[in-house]
Amino acid sequence: MADDSITALALYPSRVEWTTLRRRKGQIEVAEHQEKALEAPAADAETRADYAKRLKPVLSAIQGRVAVALPTEKALLRVVKLPTTDTAEIAEMAALQVDKFSPFPVEQMAVGQEVLAQQESSAQVLIAATLQENVAHLGETLQAAGIFAREVDVAVMGWLRLLKKEGHVPDAGRHLLLIVEERGIELLVIQAGVVVVIRSLGTLSETAPGETATEIAEELGYTLTTLETEWGAQAPGELQIWHRRGLPQEFLAHLREQCEIPIKARLLDSLPPLSEGLARRAMERGPHMLDLAPASWKAALASRKLQRGLILAGAIFVTLWLLAVGALTVGLQMQKKKLATARAELAALQAPSREVGQLKEQVRALERYLDPTFSALECLREISVRIPEGLEITALTYKKYGQVALRGESDSSDPIYGFFQALEQTQLFPAVKPEGVTQQQRGGRARSQFKLTLELPAEAK
């Protein structure tokens, strides 16, 4: 899925420009366009480190996904027809084609391809190849300036995207486009709305623009001749020359004299900046489009993104932890404050509570004293009513709301057991617990003695 925003860079020796596009509500809009001059180089033989040093303060504000363009003169560009529409097969065939036109071993080349047009069983494909060290040097320069690019395009493709967007690429016939910039001159041949030739023609000589025009006229003638072999014979419609302000009139005059093709000169300044064309291509980029960036760049960016994500997640976790600890500390302090207040209130209430408790105890003692239900006299009366003849009570111990302990004796054990049964019939005592009957000789005769405990109801709370 495409990113929501992307920035494309166009690097020049004395200036740098960039455009940031943003996808919003299904539409692509220009979020920013900047063009800034670079400081003059410190020495004539400037190193990559020196150039990066000049770039760094200018590019410090750029963030997010970044695409950059390789100068057209550093790339070998060929348009071929391939008998397949499969993306993987096109990539394999493109690598084989590079071996035919590249003066360097394929192992040393960075190769990319782009499907320009497609039929049922064939495709018209642009193959781009450059030395791997060119891409590596570009990446190292940007990294030294604090920029980690994700994609590498070719500058001329950005211009072609803009020319199509502005309606300057005819859909029918064969036409020639000449782009004259400070970095160099590029020739594009368009046939039926699709580019079939892209060539870099060197730079415009400031001291001899007429000679440069003569050389370009010869290259145009050679290019049109070689086109007939692969793309058929067809008369070109016109030659569009896109240039910056200040193009020497001598250059245009010589070119018109030596070319039989109608020439129309137009200003590049009337088009959006090159970086916008590169940014639009980057926003649209898919597996069918050109990208010379090595896979290691994308892996490194993914790793950096993961590291930033982990750092952000860690920072969020620490922040949440600190907030939680802070909230817990505040809550604990509030609870301690509430507890201290509650303890103070409790201490203030304890003295009156004790006084009330003592008063209740006094009232309860008075009620016990006045209640005759389980009094000693009532218990004695109940016992006296049930004592059989011949049984004597020798001891009685009374404990209110506790028990009544009895001791007694009789000439035989029968009255004692009868006494036990009689007490068990009474409602006054909840429990009757005999503690045994024993025999004892006294005065020459045997006497039966007993112990008995009568439980009383507990005091009501």
Side-chain angles (χ1 to χ4, degrees), residues 34 65 79 106 127 164 225 228 246 281 317 342 390 419:
Q34 293 284 342
R65 179 181 165 194
V79 179
V106 178
I127 301 174
K164 285 185 176 181
T225 302
E228 297 180 4
R281 282 176 52 81
F317 173 78
F419 181 53

Side-chain angles (χ1 to χ4, degrees), residues 228-277:
E228 297 180 4
T229 304
E230 187 171 0
W231 304 102
Q234 187 174 353
E238 66 176 5
L239 171 62
Q240 296 181 23
I241 300 179
W242 291 88
H243 61 90
R244 300 287 185 190
R245 295 184 185 277
L247 182 70
Q249 291 300 314
E250 183 183 351
F251 174 80
L252 289 174
H254 276 72
L255 206 55
R256 285 191 172 99
E257 288 176 2
Q258 300 179 49
C259 291
E260 299 178 358
I261 308 170
I263 294 176
K264 183 180 292 184
R266 294 179 176 175
L267 288 175
L268 283 172
D269 301 315
S270 65
L271 297 175
L274 171 61
S275 56
E276 180 176 332

Side-chain angles (χ1 to χ4, degrees), residues 46-47 57 61 63 97 128 148 151 160 198 203 251 278 302 333 340 404 426 434 453 461:
E46 185 180 41
T47 65
Q63 295 181 348
Q97 291 288 330
F148 292 83
E151 299 154 27
L160 181 59
I198 300 176
T203 59
F251 174 80
L278 296 170
Q333 293 299 324
V404 178
T426 182
T453 300
K461 300 296 183 183

Side-chain angles (χ1 to χ4, degrees), residues 74-391:
K74 291 190 176 181
L76 298 172
L77 301 172
R78 293 289 185 277
V79 179
V80 297
K81 291 180 180 178
L82 298 178
T84 182
T85 59
D86 182 79
T87 304
E89 292 181 355
I90 288 175
E92 293 176 359
M93 291 182 180
L96 294 175
Q97 291 288 330
V98 170
D99 196 33
K100 296 179 181 179
F101 62 80
S102 172
F104 304 101
V106 178
E107 295 77 13
Q108 299 179 13
M109 306 296 287
V111 179
Q113 61 281 329
E114 180 166 333
V115 177
L116 301 173
Q118 188 171 303
Q119 292 77 39
E120 291 185 2
S121 59
S122 63
Q124 191 168 323
V125 179
L126 169 68
I127 301 174
T130 186
L131 286 171
Q132 294 176 0
E133 64 182 28
N134 291 335
V135 178
H137 292 167
L138 180 61
E140 291 168 2
T141 301
L142 290 175
Q143 289 179 24
I147 298 295
F148 292 83
R150 178 175 166 178
E151 299 154 27
V152 176
D153 206 340
V154 179
V156 70
M157 298 305 292
W159 286 123
L160 181 59
R161 177 67 178 81
L162 292 175
L163 290 169
K164 285 185 176 181
K165 178 177 178 293
E166 299 298 319
H168 298 299
V169 177
D171 294 330
R174 177 178 290 175
H175 302 271
L176 284 72
L177 305 176
L178 199 65
I179 300 173
V180 182
E181 265 200 300
E182 60 264 44
R183 281 195 309 192
I185 302 172
E186 284 109 30
L187 170 65
L188 295 88
V189 180
I190 308 296
Q191 186 165 306
V194 181
V195 64
V196 294
V197 171
I198 300 176
R199 295 186 63 190
S200 181
L201 304 181
T203 59
L204 177 61
S205 172
E206 296 181 359
T207 57
E211 294 180 7
T212 303
T214 301
E215 294 173 0
I216 289 177
E218 293 175 356
E219 291 290 343
L220 289 176
Y222 171 78
T223 300
L224 291 174
T225 302
T226 57
L227 275 174
E228 297 180 4
T229 304
E230 187 171 0
W231 304 102
Q234 187 174 353
E238 66 176 5
L239 171 62
Q240 296 181 23
I241 300 179
W242 291 88
H243 61 90
R244 300 287 185 190
R245 295 184 185 277
L247 182 70
Q249 291 300 314
E250 183 183 351
F251 174 80
L252 289 174
H254 276 72
L255 206 55
R256 285 191 172 99
E257 288 176 2
Q258 300 179 49
C259 291
E260 299 178 358
I261 308 170
I263 294 176
K264 183 180 292 184
R266 294 179 176 175
L267 288 175
L268 283 172
D269 301 315
S270 65
L271 297 175
L274 171 61
S275 56
E276 180 176 332
L278 296 170
R280 291 189 180 277
R281 282 176 52 81
M283 186 68 81
E284 300 161 357
R285 181 162 283 117
H288 64 289
M289 293 185 69
L290 178 65
D291 184 9
L292 294 172
S296 59
W297 286 17
K298 296 176 177 61
L301 285 171
S303 177
R304 286 171 56 84
K305 186 175 181 180
L306 177 60
Q307 289 177 359
R308 287 196 298 268
L310 291 175
I311 292 172
L312 179 60
I316 292 173
F317 173 78
V318 171
T319 301
L320 291 177
W321 181 80
L322 291 175
L323 289 175
V325 171
L328 182 62
T329 303
V330 172
L332 183 60
Q333 293 299 324
M334 292 178 66
Q335 291 298 325
K336 286 182 177 180
K337 187 175 181 180
K338 288 181 179 180
L339 179 60
T341 303
R343 284 177 174 172
E345 293 176 353
L346 177 61
L349 293 174
Q350 278 179 339
S353 176
R354 283 194 294 268
E355 293 178 2
V356 172
Q358 292 173 0
L359 182 58
K360 282 185 175 182
E361 186 62 30
Q362 292 174 1
V363 171
R364 191 180 297 113
L366 183 59
E367 289 176 347
R368 289 199 304 267
Y369 179 76
L370 297 175
D371 184 9
T373 305
F374 298 100
S375 64
L377 186 60
E378 184 65 26
C379 292
L380 181 59
R381 185 195 65 78
E382 190 73 18
I383 293 169
S384 299
V385 170
R386 286 169 170 72
I387 293 177
E389 293 183 4
L391 190 143

